[in-house]
Amino acid sequence: MIDGKRIAVVLPAYNAEKTLQKTVSEIPRNIVDDIILTDDCSKDNTPALAKKLNLYVVEHARNRGYGGNQKTCYKTALSRGADVVIMLHPDYQYSPRLIYAMCAMLTSGHYDAVIASRILGKGALAGGMPVYKYIANRCLTLAQNILLNAKLSEYHTGYRGWTRKVLETLPLDACSDDFVFDNQMMAMTINAGFRIGEISCPTRYFPEASSINLQRSIVYGLGCLKTSAQYRLHKWKISHFPIFKK
């Protein structure tokens, strides 16, 4: 706990057997009360390893997609009493050692959500992010900041933290079950007026780290722009979308 708040770390997993143990070994157990792994019908031994590591494991009977897996993560964490939830990809691309700092930001009362940004500082390219992904990230982020009237360094990190209030307020079931889920969740957070903080995070790119291919990256990018455009139309009261409350 931090400041009397129960802390949960959720790991949305798919074929994470090779990197899971490294990720879990760096989670600060002295403050984390609950580590939950939701397995999206992996083809490797991710669930068995997670149980061996004494994690709380939820297994999907069928693959529900990246967004669908996160929905299970958050519902499970809330049902188990979490006050603060940190979502961390179990592919060891992000540093679990920053969990304490992220939780402190959320329990301080200053922020309702926090993202660990690969773009703040110079860690992205130094950590091996492909140049085309870096450029796409910067271009997408610029367009989204304009449409969402926000000022974030990136919207695409797989390392985020939320207070219970945010997770109970946002209509997550209205979001996609695919990769654009993360982006819809950020847009909804902005729409709801929640305060978002950022922390700089080093990143690692290596063969075992999860990554979507170019085709899916393009689909994801277009989905991000669509979400931001829907937000702008919602704010202008031209149209209404289920992910944005009136």
Side-chain angles (χ1 to χ4, degrees), residues 1-17:
M1 287 190 176
I2 297 181
D3 295 332
K5 303 293 185 182
R6 182 174 171 83
I7 310 297
V9 173
V10 295
L11 307 169
Y14 179 71
N15 294 341
E17 180 185 8

Side-chain angles (χ1 to χ4, degrees), residues 66 70 87 89 157 160 179-186:
Y66 173 70
Q70 275 200 68
M87 188 280 289
H89 286 185
T157 175
R160 302 155 183 251
F179 286 102
V180 78
F181 171 90
D182 273 345
N183 221 255
Q184 291 175 328
M185 195 171 178
M186 288 303 300

Side-chain angles (χ1 to χ4, degrees), residues 34-221:
D34 203 6
I35 304 177
I36 300 164
L37 181 138
T38 59
D39 183 76
D40 202 25
C41 207
S42 291
K43 298 178 181 178
D44 62 9
N45 293 317
T46 296
L49 176 58
K51 293 172 184 176
K52 185 178 179 181
L53 295 172
N54 294 319
L55 310 186
Y56 183 83
V57 180
V58 178
E59 297 182 63
H60 287 170
R62 60 178 178 80
N63 187 281
R64 297 185 184 179
Y66 173 70
N69 201 10
Q70 275 200 68
K71 292 174 186 179
T72 299
C73 281
Y74 296 132
K75 289 177 181 177
T76 303
L78 292 179
S79 71
R80 289 172 59 82
D83 298 304
V84 168
V85 180
I86 303 295
M87 188 280 289
L88 170 65
H89 286 185
D91 61 357
Y92 202 56
Q93 190 176 117
Y94 304 90
S95 174
R97 296 175 184 176
L98 293 174
I99 288 173
Y100 189 98
M102 295 172 71
C103 289
M105 292 174 70
L106 294 169
T107 60
S108 71
H110 295 305
Y111 300 102
D112 306 298
V114 61
I115 63 172
S117 171
R118 300 164 294 178
I119 304 302
L120 285 175
K122 299 181 179 180
L125 291 174
M129 178 184 280
V131 174
Y132 81 90
K133 286 195 173 186
Y134 180 83
I135 294 173
N137 186 307
R138 306 311 302 126
C139 292
L140 268 178
T141 296
L142 174 61
Q144 290 183 269
N145 275 333
I146 293 171
L147 290 168
L148 297 170
N149 191 28
K151 195 177 181 181
L152 296 177
S153 65
E154 77 156 319
Y155 290 81
H156 317 292
T157 175
Y159 197 2
R160 302 155 183 251
W162 315 93
T163 62
R164 185 179 189 93
K165 182 178 179 180
V166 172
L167 295 176
E168 289 180 335
T169 300
L170 301 182
L172 298 183
D173 285 335
C175 293
S176 169
D177 284 341
D178 209 341
F179 286 102
V180 78
F181 171 90
D182 273 345
N183 221 255
Q184 291 175 328
M185 195 171 178
M186 288 303 300
M188 292 192 303
T189 302
I190 292 170
N191 180 63
F194 287 118
R195 301 158 299 172
I196 304 171
E198 294 187 88
I199 186 171
S200 179
C201 179
T203 186
R204 313 176 186 91
Y205 281 81
F206 55 97
E208 289 79 17
S210 62
S211 182
I212 58 177
N213 60 34
L214 180 59
Q215 181 179 353
R216 297 206 72 180
S217 294
I218 292 172
V219 173
Y220 167 77

